[in-house]
Amino acid sequence: MELIGIIILVFIVIMLLLYNISIHKKVQTFSNINQKINSLNVLQDFMNAIGENTSVEEKLRNINDILLEKYDIKYSTIVVFDGAEYVIKATNVDEKHWETLKNLHTQPIFKDSIATATTKYITIDKDSDRLPYQEMEFARAKSAMFLPLYIDNVYIGYWIIENGQMHAFDSVDTTIIEVIKENIVSVLKTVMYQNTIENIVRKDKFTGLNSAEYLYGKAKHLIDKYTTSTVCMFRIANLEEINENYSRKTGNDIVIKVSNLVKTSISSEYIFVRYMGPKFVIVFSGVEPEAVVEFLKDIKQSLENIQIPFEQPKKNKSKKEITVSPRINFAISTYYKGTGMEGVTKKLEEYIDGAGKTESKISYI
């Protein structure tokens, strides 16, 4: 009888053990699913940040804020090499520490991490100690994880997270940290094109206007405040003829006079750029095409009334004064918020370039 009782007890213990194992697996599975859901939610937040109508710097700052909020990180800093120097793209650390943070690649303790593309975790064991890269600070950070960032096997910078507690990251799930790092890399890769566009904008030396690239970067943030806008491209149709038959200086004077007249005629809220050579673009933000046609008729007349005196060569005995005037060809189209500005300008450019050299009108396409 006792034996039977013992067997029953053993059986019950085994069943309880199996039940506990089953429960543990279910809890673990739930935890993993929950982590995946959280990661997906954060990734969605990242994508939303990328899609915002803001500059690259603002997007990265928003992403850093998401990291701090969702993962309860004390300090987070993203540093990127821009081809010339290391630049802090996002951080919540006081500016007095930035010089140290953007030079971590020179620290011996992190060089191996960069070379092997592996995470480096460092911490202190006593309050009197300090992290190797700290020069004049003690209390701010006592633990840190350094994560080098790579795009297509090319090192582009690093992400460092810090905490004011010793051994703060001892039990952190490194898998999640790696996922976050890859998300940061994905974001950096996604905004690289935008960053390039924003950085290659140049000022035209004759007119002082921004180059065409301005339309696709910073200007687009301003334009996209409105649902629709009117894009106008105009071409000094006879500029090549002026350069050839008169002089390059006369052509340059025409360009300067035309751009100055337009600049003083339009609102500062509108975007005006020198698109390329004899072509210019005006974006009337938030304005329908019908509302700008009459204005364009007036500005076209004013532009074609410009007269630039041409100084004839001394060997020419004719004393008749010669003046040169531009002939302007306009084309306008509608831009819709969130669509590609480059598609609109390409369509306008194809029309303008395909128009006859003697054409001088306002066309809606």
Side-chain angles (χ1 to χ4, degrees):
M1 193 71 180
E2 286 185 16
L3 181 60
I4 294 173
I6 292 171
I7 291 172
I8 293 172
L9 286 174
V10 170
F11 178 76
I12 292 172
V13 169
I14 292 172
M15 291 300 294
L16 287 172
L17 285 172
L18 292 174
Y19 178 75
N20 285 336
I21 291 171
S22 175
I23 292 294
H24 177 73
K25 286 183 177 179
K26 287 180 181 179
V27 170
Q28 190 65 37
T29 301
F30 175 78
S31 178
N32 290 338
I33 292 172
N34 194 47
Q35 285 179 1
K36 288 178 181 179
I37 291 173
N38 287 337
S39 294
L40 286 173
N41 288 337
V42 172
L43 184 57
Q44 182 60 53
D45 290 339
F46 278 11
M47 295 303 102
N48 291 340
I50 293 173
E52 290 175 355
N53 187 29
T54 56
S55 68
V56 171
E57 282 72 19
E58 287 176 287
K59 287 177 180 178
L60 289 173
R61 283 196 293 269
N62 289 341
I63 286 164
N64 205 48
D65 289 341
I66 291 169
L67 295 174
L68 294 164
E69 178 187 349
K70 299 293 184 180
Y71 293 104
D72 196 26
I73 296 170
K74 180 68 174 176
Y75 301 109
S76 174
T77 303
I78 300 170
V79 180
V80 174
F81 182 64
D82 67 359
E85 61 180 347
Y86 283 80
V87 179
I88 292 179
K89 291 295 184 179
T91 187
N92 66 320
V93 177
D94 192 283
E95 190 173 352
K96 65 184 178 181
H97 303 302
W98 287 8
E99 195 63 31
T100 297
L101 289 172
K102 71 179 182 179
N103 286 294
L104 295 181
H105 59 285
T106 63
Q107 294 288 333
I109 195 167
F110 297 131
K111 286 186 176 180
D112 184 60
S113 175
I114 294 171
T116 57
T118 55
T119 299
K120 181 72 174 181
Y121 172 39
I122 55 176
T123 187
I124 60 173
D125 295 311
K126 296 184 298 183
D127 279 328
S128 58
D129 294 339
R130 64 180 176 182
L131 297 174
Y133 63 87
Q134 294 176 327
E135 296 175 358
M136 299 178 65
E137 51 179 319
F138 290 91
R140 185 181 67 83
K142 297 178 180 179
S143 303
M145 289 188 77
F146 177 91
L147 301 97
L149 304 175
Y150 282 78
I151 292 181
D152 299 329
N153 296 321
V154 176
Y155 170 67
I156 60 159
Y158 50 86
W159 172 42
I160 183 169
I161 56 176
E162 302 169 289
N163 198 293
Q165 301 296 320
M166 293 183 285
H167 298 277
F169 302 120
D170 285 5
S171 58
V172 72
D173 188 337
T174 55
T175 304
I176 293 179
I177 293 294
E178 286 296 323
V179 169
I180 300 171
K181 184 187 78 170
E182 291 309 311
N183 287 340
I184 292 173
V185 170
S186 297
V187 169
L188 289 171
K189 195 172 183 178
T190 302
V191 299
M192 277 178 70
Y193 172 73
Q194 181 185 344
N195 191 53
T196 300
I197 291 297
E198 289 179 358
N199 287 331
I200 63 175
V201 174
R202 295 290 180 270
K203 290 280 188 182
D204 177 60
K205 66 178 182 179
F206 289 113
T207 64
L209 299 174
N210 287 313
S211 60
E213 291 79 14
Y214 182 69
L215 290 173
Y216 314 127
K218 294 181 179 178
K220 198 169 187 297
H221 309 323
L222 303 174
I223 299 166
D224 277 357
K225 290 179 179 179
Y226 306 91
T227 304
T228 61
S229 297
T230 298
V231 182
C232 166
M233 181 177 288
F234 70 87
R235 186 179 193 275
I236 304 175
N238 60 339
L239 184 61
E240 292 92 338
E241 179 186 325
I242 292 170
N243 288 337
E244 184 178 341
N245 295 340
Y246 298 95
S247 68
R248 175 73 65 173
K249 180 182 181 304
T250 305
N252 290 340
D253 289 342
I254 288 285
V255 167
I256 294 169
K257 194 74 174 178
V258 165
S259 64
N260 285 342
L261 196 155
V262 173
K263 273 191 285 189
T264 56
S265 300
I266 64 174
S267 167
S268 59
E269 294 180 8
Y270 302 146
I271 310 299
F272 182 35
V273 302
R274 187 172 187 183
Y275 187 77
M276 186 181 298
K279 288 169 284 194
F280 297 78
V281 169
I282 310 170
V283 180
F284 297 93
S285 309
V287 181
E288 296 293 331
E290 297 77 14
V292 303
V293 172
E294 289 303 316
F295 168 77
L296 292 180
K297 287 180 181 178
D298 292 339
I299 196 72
K300 174 177 166 59
Q301 183 176 350
S302 297
L303 291 173
E304 293 184 338
N305 284 338
I306 289 173
Q307 293 186 335
I308 299 295
F310 171 65
E311 187 176 336
Q312 299 182 71
K314 291 182 179 179
K315 62 180 180 180
N316 192 325
K317 296 181 180 180
S318 173
K319 294 184 178 180
K320 184 179 178 181
E321 183 181 16
I322 296 176
T323 57
V324 181
S325 298
R327 188 170 62 252
I328 311 294
N329 194 15
F330 281 89
I332 61 176
S333 188
T334 302
Y335 165 78
Y336 298 92
K337 177 181 178 179
T339 60
M341 174 64 73
E342 64 278 8
V344 177
T345 54
K346 183 180 180 182
K347 180 175 67 172
L348 290 169
E349 184 177 22
E350 286 174 350
Y351 177 84
I352 287 281
D353 288 345
K357 289 188 176 180
T358 59
E359 184 174 317
S360 174
K361 61 181 182 179
I362 300 171
S363 304
Y364 179 73
I365 60 173

